[in-house]
Amino acid sequence: SYIFESNTDTGFFHPATDEIGFSTAGSERMRLDSSGKLGIGTTSPSFELDVEGDIGMNGKLYHNGDHNTYIGFTADTQTFRTGGTDALTIDSSQNATFSASVDINSDSGQLQFGADNDMQIFHNGSGGEINNATGNFTIDSAGDITLDADGGDIILEDAGTRFGMFTHSNGNLVIKQTADDKDILFQSDDGAGSTTTYFFLDGSAANSSTGVL
């Protein structure tokens, strides 16, 4: 062991074969093992630099030989840069800004929104889904809204039960009521604060052969 004069509990010593330990105040603080791994706060480092505890730094953490890729820290802001571009920035209000696409390469992965994860966007391997568990779901567009089923149908459900669909046949638009023995109603405000059915398509079994408007 090597200690400092008048400070015998601080120095460096030989804790095991081909290893060096560093101590202060009578306790080992750092270990350099036989494979060149340096541990701070641990006597059995698993990596070239293994720290048991917090690390404080100013500036950037670079990837060796690739100085345009790093994790940067400024006042209350983190920046993740790849290839010379800030790919992700997280500001002091926890707002995250991405400069490119966000890929979730897992059928069990989800994008979740809300304090209680009330809204999820995900793909389970066979289909995609937007699940909004609380309140209304609004689509607000400054232009057109297009629903493209790519040869499939646009299906309407209530609590998982199908009641209607939009489809096409030989270039014709087909509006289909799929609930058994039910009608298609056309309603409007009646000018007195109520809603009135002005006409309907009778889908009852009694008129299935003739159709009544």
Side-chain angles (χ1 to χ4, degrees):
S1 298
Y2 295 85
I3 58 176
F4 295 95
E5 186 177 358
S6 301
N7 190 5
T8 58
D9 58 358
T10 298
F12 56 96
F13 60 100
H14 178 232
T17 303
D18 297 329
E19 294 189 356
I20 301 175
F22 300 82
S23 64
T24 61
S27 298
E28 183 175 353
R29 308 297 184 182
M30 187 166 63
R31 173 76 65 94
L32 181 63
D33 72 9
S34 59
S35 62
K37 295 183 175 66
L38 179 65
I40 300 176
T42 177
T43 60
S44 55
S46 300
F47 307 97
E48 278 66 23
L49 176 61
D50 195 336
V51 179
E52 181 69 28
D54 298 331
I55 299 175
M57 64 172 291
N58 292 320
K60 302 175 177 65
L61 181 62
Y62 285 92
H63 176 242
N64 281 334
D66 185 13
H67 289 177
N68 61 2
T69 297
Y70 59 75
I71 301 174
F73 302 88
T74 56
D76 297 324
T77 300
Q78 287 180 257
T79 301
F80 298 81
R81 171 169 287 210
T82 59
T85 300
D86 292 345
L88 169 62
T89 301
I90 305 174
D91 67 17
S92 59
S93 299
Q94 290 77 56
N95 296 314
T97 301
F98 295 86
S99 64
S101 301
V102 177
D103 296 330
I104 301 178
N105 295 317
S106 169
D107 289 335
S108 61
Q110 298 183 357
L111 284 177
Q112 298 182 331
F113 304 88
D116 297 316
N117 296 328
D118 296 321
M119 180 176 171
Q120 303 92 33
I121 302 176
F122 60 93
H123 192 282
N124 61 13
S126 60
E129 184 172 334
I130 300 176
N131 181 19
N132 184 49
T134 304
N136 298 323
F137 179 72
T138 302
I139 300 175
D140 188 354
S141 173
D144 298 333
I145 296 176
T146 301
L147 300 177
D148 186 352
D150 196 19
D153 302 324
I154 298 174
I155 298 172
L156 306 177
E157 293 185 354
D158 185 11
T161 300
R162 182 180 302 186
F163 64 87
M165 62 181 9
F166 295 94
T167 185
H168 63 89
S169 175
N170 298 321
N172 298 312
L173 172 64
V174 179
I175 302 174
K176 185 183 295 186
Q177 162 67 275
T178 60
D180 187 47
D181 202 26
K182 297 298 181 180
D183 305 326
I184 298 178
L185 310 181
F186 293 83
Q187 298 181 338
S188 178
D189 184 90
D190 62 3
S194 299
T195 300
T196 298
T197 299
Y198 285 92
F199 64 94
F200 66 94
L201 300 177
D202 187 347
S204 66
N207 295 299
S208 61
S209 61
T210 59
V212 176
L213 177 61

